[in-house]
Amino acid sequence: MAARPKRRRVTESNRASSEKSTPNVFPQDPSAPATSEDRSRWKGFCEIESEPAFFNVMLRDFGVEDVRVQEVVSLDPDMLAYLPRPVYGLIFLFKWREEDPDKQEPSCPEGIWFANQTVNNACASVALLNIVNNIPELKLGEHLQQFKEFTLDFTPALRGDAIGNFEFVKTIHNSFARKMDMLNADLQLKNDASSRKKSKAKESDEDDAGFHFIAFVPVQGRVWKLDGLERQPENLGPISDDWVLQVAPEIETRMAQYEDGQIEFAILSLVKEPLTQLVATLAENVKSIVSIRQRLLQLQCDQSGLQPDTAAGNNLGEKDLLLGPCEQYRLSQEAIDQAVLSPEVEQHLKSDDIVGSSAVAQELATAQASIRASIRDEIKAIQADDDRAASRRNDKEKRLSNQDQLLFRNTWCAVLAEFSRSPYSEA
C-alpha cells in the first residue's frame, strides 16, 4: 500500500501558485456586465435566443441588405399569408434530436451552400449563413461575399470550421454575450468533454439535448432542410406554388414528436425588408402626383392662357403632400427618378380630362398618407430592434436577483474548479 502523501500547509507561495494556474479570462466580478475586452478574449460562441431583433441587427452588421427577420406566430395558412414576400428562408428552433441519416443527400449538391456546425453554440450564425448564402439576389456585404466565394469549393465540415475561425462573424455573434453566457458555455463544454471520457459508448439522453436552430430554404427549384448538425442537406422536394406552406407540415411533424410539456419552439422568417418596398411605393406615388399636377397645370394654362405660376391649378393637392425627396422617409431623388409610373397614370398624362386626372391626383394623395404612416411604423420597428440589441449588448437589461447572483457565482466557481483540476492549467 502506497504511503499516504503528507498534507501541505497553505502558504502564501502555495496560494500564489494556485491563483496563477487559474485562467484569468474574466478578471472582474463575474456578475458584472461583460466588456468588449471580455468578449474579444473569449474563444467560444455564446447561445442566442430566438429574438428577431438580435437576428436583424446581426444581419445588418454582417452587411446583408434588404432582409428582415420576423417571428412566425402560427403555421396556419391564413396566418402565413401575412408574411411579406418573398420569404427567403425559415429558421426553426427546437430541442434537437437526430433523424434518419438516410434522408440526407450522399454529398452536398452542387450549387447548395451548406455548412456543418462544428463549434458549440454557433447554430444561430450557421443557420443565417446557410440561408443568405443561397439567395443569389441578396447583397451580402464585402466580408460575407468574400467568405462565400472563398468557401465555395469547401466541404460542409470545412465551411463549419471556417465559420468557427471567422473573427468577423464571431465578433458580431458574441456581441450579445453576457458574462453568464460565456461561463455557462465553458462549463457545458467542460462537462461534455468529461461525459465523453467517462462513457463513449453510452447513448446521449434526449432530456440533455440542447436547443438548436436549423434552416429551410428554397434553392434551385427545390426546398432544402439545412441542419448544421447533420452531415448533408435534406431534399424536401420540388418547390410548389408557395414553398412556405410546403414546409409547414414538416415543422408540424417535428413539433408533434414532443410531449405537451416540451412545447418550446420558435419559428423565424427571413423576408424582403418591407421598408424597401414601401419606400419604392412612395417614390412611385410622389412621381405620379408630381407628373399629374404638372399635366393639370399645363391643361389649365392652355385653357386660360395664363402662365404656369398664375394658373389656378398651381395649388392642387394636400397642404402637407410630399412632392420630393425626404430624409425622414428615406426617400431620395434617385429613387423618384427611377420609379416606373403605372399604366393608369401614364394614360392620364396623355389625356385632356381635367376632372378625371384631378380625381386620380386626390386618390394618390390619400394613398400617400397611408404609405407614409406605414413607413413611419417600419422605421420605429427598426429603431426598436436597435434599442433592444443595444440594451443587450450593453448589458443594461434587468439586473440579476440575489438568487440569480448566487447561481451565477456558483457557476463561476465550478468553472474555476474544473480548470484548476485540468492537466492543461499552468504550473
Side-chain angles (χ1 to χ4, degrees):
M1 183 175 179
R4 183 176 180 179
K6 296 181 179 180
R7 293 184 179 180
R8 292 187 299 170
R9 179 180 299 176
V10 177
T11 62
E12 290 300 324
S13 60
N14 296 147
R15 185 178 292 108
S17 176
S18 175
E19 291 175 353
K20 182 180 178 182
S21 66
T22 301
N24 195 23
V25 181
F26 305 124
Q28 302 173 354
D29 177 3
S31 65
T35 65
S36 298
E37 183 180 1
D38 291 335
R39 294 182 179 120
S40 65
R41 290 167 56 161
W42 190 54
K43 302 302 181 183
F45 276 73
C46 71
E47 288 186 343
I48 294 182
E49 303 97 308
S50 57
E51 167 60 59
F54 298 166
F55 282 75
N56 279 319
V57 172
M58 285 174 65
L59 284 172
R60 229 177 301 147
D61 290 351
F62 286 161
V64 180
E65 298 181 16
D66 294 338
V67 177
R68 184 164 182 78
V69 179
Q70 294 188 348
E71 186 172 9
V72 178
V73 297
S74 171
L75 292 173
D76 181 82
D78 292 336
M79 296 296 294
L80 292 175
Y82 285 101
L83 284 178
R85 262 50 176 186
V87 179
Y88 297 125
L90 294 177
I91 294 178
F92 180 43
L93 173 68
F94 67 111
K95 202 167 187 180
W96 189 82
R97 61 173 58 171
E98 187 174 5
E99 289 209 332
D100 184 0
D102 291 337
K103 294 181 179 180
Q104 303 170 28
E105 296 293 295
S107 60
C108 188
E110 186 176 355
I112 306 295
W113 197 98
F114 171 62
N116 293 140
Q117 179 190 334
T118 61
V119 180
N120 278 11
N121 299 327
C123 56
S125 288
V126 171
L128 284 175
L129 295 180
N130 276 340
I131 292 177
V132 299
N133 282 335
N134 282 298
I135 311 300
E137 62 267 29
L138 287 186
K139 295 180 180 179
L140 300 179
E142 178 183 0
H143 295 285
L144 282 195
Q145 186 62 43
Q146 291 179 354
F147 179 77
K148 177 182 176 180
E149 294 172 359
F150 176 71
T151 59
L152 209 55
D153 296 327
F154 284 18
T155 64
L158 287 178
R159 287 178 185 145
D161 289 342
I163 292 174
N165 292 313
F166 193 11
E167 286 298 327
F168 173 74
V169 165
K170 186 194 292 186
T171 299
I172 294 172
H173 181 112
N174 284 340
S175 64
F176 295 103
R178 295 168 296 193
K179 199 167 292 187
M180 173 66 93
D181 302 324
M182 302 184 210
L183 295 174
N184 280 338
D186 287 343
L187 183 59
Q188 182 62 47
L189 185 63
K190 194 77 175 178
N191 290 340
D192 289 347
S194 177
S195 297
R196 284 194 293 269
K197 288 179 181 178
K198 290 179 181 178
S199 179
K200 293 184 178 180
K202 182 179 179 181
E203 294 184 0
S204 61
D205 188 346
E206 288 186 357
D207 291 338
D208 295 332
F211 287 91
H212 178 59
F213 292 104
I214 66 174
F216 295 91
V217 61
V219 187
Q220 297 181 340
R222 307 188 79 82
V223 181
W224 298 88
K225 185 193 78 176
L226 305 180
D227 182 347
L229 293 182
E230 295 181 349
R231 291 183 178 275
Q232 302 296 344
E234 181 180 336
N235 183 353
L236 300 181
I239 295 177
S240 60
D241 294 337
D242 189 335
W243 77 269
V244 177
L245 293 177
Q246 185 177 347
V247 167
E250 173 76 17
I251 297 177
E252 289 174 333
T253 299
R254 285 173 170 267
M255 290 180 173
Q257 295 174 356
Y258 298 87
E259 298 177 0
D260 293 340
Q262 296 180 322
I263 303 177
E264 298 178 17
F265 308 104
I267 307 172
L268 304 176
S269 62
L270 272 70
V271 302
K272 185 174 180 63
E273 172 61 75
L275 181 61
T276 303
Q277 185 56 49
L278 285 170
V279 172
T281 302
L282 181 60
E284 179 188 347
N285 176 277
V286 169
K287 186 173 183 178
S288 299
I289 292 175
V290 171
S291 300
I292 288 183
R293 282 167 61 95
Q294 291 174 344
R295 177 58 178 166
L296 287 171
L297 190 60
Q298 184 61 53
L299 289 174
Q300 292 181 352
C301 289
D302 292 343
Q303 291 182 3
S304 63
L306 297 175
Q307 295 298 318
D309 59 346
T310 60
N314 202 37
N315 293 319
L316 286 174
E318 299 287 341
K319 183 178 180 180
D320 62 345
L321 204 59
L322 192 61
L323 299 174
C326 180
E327 185 176 350
Q328 177 187 355
Y329 293 97
R330 305 191 180 185
L331 179 64
S332 66
Q333 186 61 52
E334 181 182 7
I336 296 173
D337 293 339
Q338 293 179 352
V340 178
L341 300 178
S342 69
E344 180 185 10
V345 171
E346 292 282 8
Q347 182 179 353
H348 280 281
L349 294 180
K350 300 174 184 178
S351 171
D352 296 335
D353 181 7
I354 294 180
V355 175
S357 295
S358 297
V360 171
Q362 185 59 48
E363 291 174 1
L364 289 168
T366 302
Q368 186 185 110
S370 176
I371 298 169
R372 288 164 62 181
S374 296
I375 290 177
R376 289 194 297 269
D377 289 342
E378 287 299 324
I379 292 176
K380 287 180 181 178
I382 293 173
Q383 185 60 53
D385 283 351
D386 291 342
D387 293 343
R388 177 81 173 87
S391 176
R392 172 60 177 268
R393 284 173 164 174
N394 296 326
D395 216 351
K396 292 181 179 178
E397 295 175 317
K398 183 178 179 182
R399 293 307 302 270
L400 297 174
S401 65
N402 291 335
Q403 183 177 359
D404 288 338
Q405 288 186 22
L406 179 60
L407 174 62
F408 198 109
R409 286 181 169 82
N410 288 342
T411 303
W412 169 248
C413 292
V415 172
L416 294 182
E418 288 290 344
F419 274 109
S420 66
R421 288 195 293 265
S422 171
Y424 301 104
S425 300
E426 295 180 13

